[in-house]
Amino acid sequence: MGLIREIKRWWESLFQREAQDCFKVDTLMSGIMQREQRRWYGTYTGQPEWVCNEPGRELETINFAKKLCNETARLATLALGITVEGSARATWLQKQMDKYRARMMFDKCEYACAFGYIVIKPNGKSLDYVLPDNFVPTSCDDDGKINGGVFIDRQRQGKVFFTRLEYHRFENMIPAVDPVYKVSNRVYKSDADGSIGKEINIEGSPWAGLMPEATISGLEKPLFAVFGMPIANNLDVNSDIPVSFFSNAMPELKRLDIASQRMADEIDDSKKLVIVGDAFSMTPGQKITERIKSLRDRQGNELPRYIRAIPGGTEGDDYHEINPALNTEQRMTGINHYLDSVGVKCGYSTGQFVLNGRTGQVTATQVEADDRETIQTIKQIRDSLESATNDVLYALDKWADLYDITPVGAYEVNYDFGDITYNEDEDRERNWQYVQAGKYPFWRYLVRFEGYSEEDAKAIVAEMEAENKRAEKKGLFDEE
């Protein structure tokens, strides 16, 4: 599995080198950053560099990096709302944002956490979400935001492989001169998956109809957006490339896997063992080779699997029981220590992640109002997401202008994020107390916490009130 992964990564780096050679550009990715991105990819996908299958040195991973990115993305996109209003153009943009929001909440925000960043680019029909292994960053603006790069797109038709290299950049970046935005397309065809092949005319490819060269004026931003983690790059301080959310906790992730493996090994080795002499299981004159084939007592009954015989033993009193003790509490304390270390080094408050002793699963605790580190970390990611979304809207708006998709019109965007300290169980209990005290309508409670429509909830309440009135009248008649 590790060899296959390394071959795949080598192929991807090969295409990135081809992209640089094709357009005669250099990548912003230093050797350090390329190496670290490969490490992040392996760690997130459950194949970190420390995994070992060698007998006697086995080390598996619990893949906490996946859980960490998933929980971070969940909090960052909790109850995410994007509203675009103001014109017919805004209505079209809102449709794009509805799909964008769903994709971001499903997996794209998680990928950005894992790999440091993702690139979002309009494609004419929807949006492409490009991971770093299919993008070669080539330039940044004065604020350190990526504004140029080569996109790598691959498609397969039967036994033929097509590769498209799409180069975006600004030219004439000179004071007092309007910059020009250029997009260049190059297409290659190959009979092998691991080769880019030879360049062909774009009309003979799956991307027929695209212009090989396009020049656009009047743009202030690129026709793509980068959503990156708001974390300082301490791996290569001269690089503007965003780093993985867990980049600062790689040593702790390894120690966490070691602690988990040791507890698993201890559990595997904790089974009861009974060692007996040969006199328990061999009849006089029986060959040792026959004895090894099946462990049975002198009457021929097969013995339990936890019994082991001592070869050469002749005395019937050779009997020893071994019952290994489990240090479960100490092991769990160690695991929780490293869980906490990973969380803190990634910007979470102490105690955010714990190992549940009952289920054996790592869980995230409820964020409280005083968890300042967690709240601040999630806010920074949300700010980065909002900035990237503004850039996505800008690119979509300009794309609509270029291809006359909808009438030109102004738009205004508003964002809404959920409260990460919100606890539904506490809110439910508090509102139920209000209902019982007569301070809150029961039908609103049914709508908010039980999922009823307003119409059905009011009908239920009306039926209850009618039933209560009939019960009161019946009580009066019974008294008479």
Side-chain angles (χ1 to χ4, degrees), residues 1-11 47-48 51 53:
M1 184 68 182
L3 177 61
I4 295 175
R5 188 183 78 245
E6 286 304 315
I7 292 175
K8 180 178 183 295
R9 305 305 296 176
W10 181 82
W11 280 350
Q47 288 291 322
V51 164
N53 297 317

Side-chain angles (χ1 to χ4, degrees), residues 249-460:
M250 292 290 282
E252 287 72 23
L253 286 170
K254 178 180 179 180
R255 295 187 185 108
L256 174 62
D257 281 340
I258 293 174
S260 177
Q261 184 69 54
R262 286 178 178 173
M263 187 170 81
D265 290 343
E266 189 173 275
I267 293 174
D268 289 342
D269 296 338
S270 65
K271 59 185 177 182
K272 176 182 178 181
L273 185 63
V274 175
I275 299 177
V276 299
D278 286 339
F280 276 90
S281 58
M282 290 183 65
T283 57
Q286 184 181 15
K287 296 181 179 180
I288 292 179
T289 54
E290 295 177 356
R291 154 69 183 77
I292 293 175
K293 292 180 181 178
S294 177
L295 189 60
R296 298 177 180 274
D297 62 17
R298 301 184 67 174
Q299 284 72 43
N301 300 313
E302 188 170 356
L303 295 175
R305 62 182 181 178
Y306 59 79
I307 295 181
R308 297 290 183 271
I310 303 174
T314 58
E315 299 297 330
D317 59 355
D318 291 339
Y319 181 94
H320 306 280
E321 284 192 15
I322 301 176
N323 292 290
L326 285 175
N327 299 312
T328 305
E329 290 188 8
Q330 293 90 330
R331 295 297 186 192
M332 289 186 62
T333 298
I335 291 174
N336 280 321
H337 167 73
Y338 287 120
L339 283 172
D340 200 40
S341 296
V342 171
V344 170
K345 292 193 73 173
C346 290
Y348 279 100
S349 302
T350 300
Q352 181 65 30
F353 299 98
V354 295
L355 176 64
N356 188 311
R358 184 176 61 84
T359 65
Q361 300 295 318
V362 176
T363 59
T365 60
Q366 171 66 37
V367 179
E368 304 294 341
D370 58 351
D371 290 336
R372 296 182 180 179
E373 293 86 353
T374 299
I375 294 172
Q376 183 62 27
T377 296
I378 297 304
K379 182 183 183 304
Q380 290 175 339
I381 296 176
R382 286 178 169 182
D383 290 344
S384 180
L385 176 59
E386 185 174 326
S387 176
T389 304
N390 286 334
D391 292 342
V392 172
L393 284 166
Y394 177 87
L396 284 169
D397 184 44
K398 297 305 178 183
W399 190 276
D401 288 342
L402 292 171
Y403 292 92
D404 196 24
I405 298 175
T406 60
V408 176
Y411 66 88
E412 182 179 343
V413 58
N414 292 292
Y415 298 93
D416 183 34
F417 292 95
D419 181 5
I420 63 174
T421 64
Y422 173 74
N423 187 312
E424 183 176 0
D425 292 335
E426 293 178 358
D427 196 23
R428 177 192 293 267
E429 182 178 356
R430 182 168 55 253
N431 278 270
W432 178 246
Q433 292 174 352
Y434 291 156
V435 171
Q436 292 180 314
K439 305 295 185 181
Y440 190 75
F442 181 50
W443 70 266
R444 289 188 179 276
Y445 177 89
L446 293 175
V447 171
R448 182 173 179 180
F449 296 102
E450 302 298 338
Y452 286 93
S453 67
E454 181 176 335
E455 181 180 357
D456 290 343
K458 288 183 176 180
I460 291 173

Side-chain angles (χ1 to χ4, degrees), residues 57-124:
R57 299 179 57 193
E58 293 91 344
L59 177 57
E60 298 180 356
T61 178
I62 64 172
N63 202 4
F64 182 63
K66 159 70 177 177
K67 171 67 177 178
L68 179 68
C69 293
N70 178 267
E71 178 64 14
T72 303
R74 184 189 71 83
L75 292 174
T77 61
L78 182 67
L80 172 62
I82 306 173
T83 305
V84 188
E85 299 175 320
S87 62
R89 173 66 59 86
T91 301
W92 178 77
L93 289 173
Q94 181 66 64
K95 292 180 181 179
Q96 308 306 311
M97 285 295 100
D98 289 341
K99 293 182 286 186
Y100 167 84
R101 170 184 169 276
R103 296 296 299 275
M104 200 56 72
M105 295 179 70
F106 177 66
D107 59 0
K108 303 310 176 186
C109 183
E110 182 175 328
Y111 290 159
C113 293
F115 308 129
Y117 71 96
I118 61 170
V119 186
I120 306 105
K121 178 176 69 72
N123 59 22

